[in-house]
Amino acid sequence: MTAVESRPAGLAGPTRGSRPPAARVLAFVALTKPRIIELLLISTIPVMFLAAKGLPDLSLVLVVCFGGYLSAGSANAFNMYLDRDIDRLMHRTERRPLVTGMVSPRECLAFATALGVISTVWFWVLVNPLSAGLSVLAIFYYVVVYTMMLKRRTPQNIVWGGIAGCMQVLIGWTAVTNSLAWAPFVLFMVIFFWTPPHYWPLSMKCADDYANAGVPMLPVVAGNKVVAKQIVVYSWVMVATSLLLWPTADTGWLYPAAALVLGVAWLYEAHALNRRAKAEETGAKLKEMRLFHWSITYLTLLFVAVAVDPVIFG
């Protein structure tokens, strides 16, 4: 019996008769990983403000958000289809719809494909072909490059795989301008350097899960000291990169002030985690999730500043 066919004790899937419609709808929504998509939209909408140098067209924002949800949902559903074997082996993923049997693999694959096609047509017709192409590229990168090629082969998986999540800023910018510029690429790089120190604390906490599933996340193959040191390095580069938007986009004073204050707070948390890791703290004393939760707040507030600055100074 293969890993895909096996199922841990206590996770026997429901029969067709025991899958109520409401639960099925929620299961298909869960395939899109809505909480991850929230972060993607947080980075998309403010960039549209920056590109418009003020308030963008509200209808365009809604169109881009819906298309972005469909696109990211497609990538996430493909990811669940491909990872259904290892999802069964990890506590944090053992309740996903394919593991519980609420959605079959065939249904998931059809759902992911439909979302991908619809999102591409949506962007092409209602936004522009450039945004549609970037959306397709994001899906391809997350599914093929990250999930199929990197995730199970290298501890650098989340570093290079994070590029897929960076694409949303380019989509937001091109939706408004139908062109590319240096400013969205600066924010692209901010998210690129943000992703590893955002995700590594979570993988530190779930290292045993990843080890059981055979996924070579950096905490599994290198240990907490190495990971914490890498987090500090990426954090400094991220904060420095965030300040480049000031001259690149010719922002007012609000954005660089916010980037500096938020960056200092981030670096404090990153170095604190590094000190605890050096002291060989483990379990609750390591407090690795402090940085994980702060990273979400950091990105949210930074992109709020991205949106508000052009409204005031644009």
Side-chain angles (χ1 to χ4, degrees), residues 7-314:
R7 187 183 301 273
L11 291 180
T15 63
R16 286 189 178 276
S18 64
R19 298 189 296 179
R24 291 265 288 160
V25 170
L26 292 176
F28 277 100
V29 172
L31 289 176
T32 66
K33 301 182 184 178
R35 294 186 66 181
I36 293 178
I37 292 176
E38 288 175 15
L39 285 175
L40 296 178
L41 296 182
I42 284 171
S43 62
T44 304
I45 297 172
V47 173
M48 297 181 72
F49 279 71
L50 184 64
K53 299 185 183 303
L55 294 173
D57 180 77
L58 179 58
S59 62
L60 180 62
V61 173
L62 294 176
V63 165
V64 171
C65 285
F66 185 70
Y69 180 87
L70 295 178
S71 176
S74 170
N76 289 330
F78 275 121
N79 172 266
M80 284 202 193
Y81 173 81
L82 293 167
D83 278 354
R84 63 194 188 278
D85 56 338
I86 59 176
D87 282 348
R88 301 176 191 277
L89 306 176
M90 298 192 291
H91 291 300
R92 76 181 191 89
T93 57
E94 65 186 11
R95 302 308 303 173
R96 285 180 173 174
L98 288 178
V99 179
T100 63
M102 191 60 68
V103 177
S104 72
R106 179 177 297 179
E107 290 171 333
C108 178
L109 188 59
F111 180 68
T113 303
L115 290 185
V117 172
I118 293 170
S119 66
T120 302
V121 174
W122 180 272
F123 273 116
W124 189 282
V125 174
L126 299 179
V127 185
N128 57 59
L130 179 56
S131 297
L134 290 170
S135 172
V136 172
L137 181 60
I139 295 173
F140 175 85
Y141 196 94
Y142 187 69
V143 175
V144 177
V145 178
Y146 170 65
T147 305
M148 297 178 68
M149 298 175 60
L150 297 176
K151 184 172 182 178
R152 307 191 194 200
R153 290 182 171 88
T154 171
Q156 292 296 305
N157 46 21
I158 200 63
V159 176
W160 299 105
I163 288 176
C166 305
M167 298 295 291
Q168 295 301 316
V169 297
L170 302 185
I171 294 172
W173 183 276
T174 58
V176 174
T177 67
N178 197 22
S179 64
L180 288 168
W182 285 114
F185 278 107
V186 170
L187 292 173
F188 179 102
M189 295 307 298
V190 169
I191 298 176
F192 176 79
F193 291 118
W194 169 87
T195 301
H198 158 70
Y199 197 83
W200 277 333
L202 176 62
S203 60
M204 291 167 77
K205 183 176 179 62
C206 301
D208 289 342
D209 260 2
Y210 285 113
N212 291 336
V215 179
M217 297 300 295
L218 190 59
V220 175
V221 302
N224 289 342
K225 289 184 181 180
V226 172
V227 176
K229 184 177 180 179
Q230 288 292 307
I231 285 174
V232 168
V233 172
Y234 275 88
S235 297
W236 274 98
V237 177
M238 178 198 70
V239 173
T241 303
S242 72
L243 295 173
L244 292 177
L245 188 68
W246 181 19
T248 304
D250 192 25
T251 69
W253 59 264
L254 178 64
Y255 172 79
L260 184 60
V261 171
L262 292 169
V264 169
W266 176 292
L267 292 172
Y268 174 83
E269 289 293 341
H271 280 276
L273 176 58
N274 189 40
R275 288 193 297 270
R276 293 192 293 270
K278 282 184 176 180
E280 299 185 351
E281 300 285 4
T282 58
K285 291 183 178 180
L286 183 59
K287 300 178 183 178
E288 69 278 5
M289 294 301 286
R290 280 175 58 99
L291 183 59
F292 173 79
H293 293 302
W294 164 245
S295 68
I296 298 172
T297 303
Y298 168 87
L299 194 71
T300 302
L301 295 178
L302 185 72
F303 274 84
V304 166
V306 169
V308 173
D309 190 285
V311 173
I312 297 175
F313 300 104

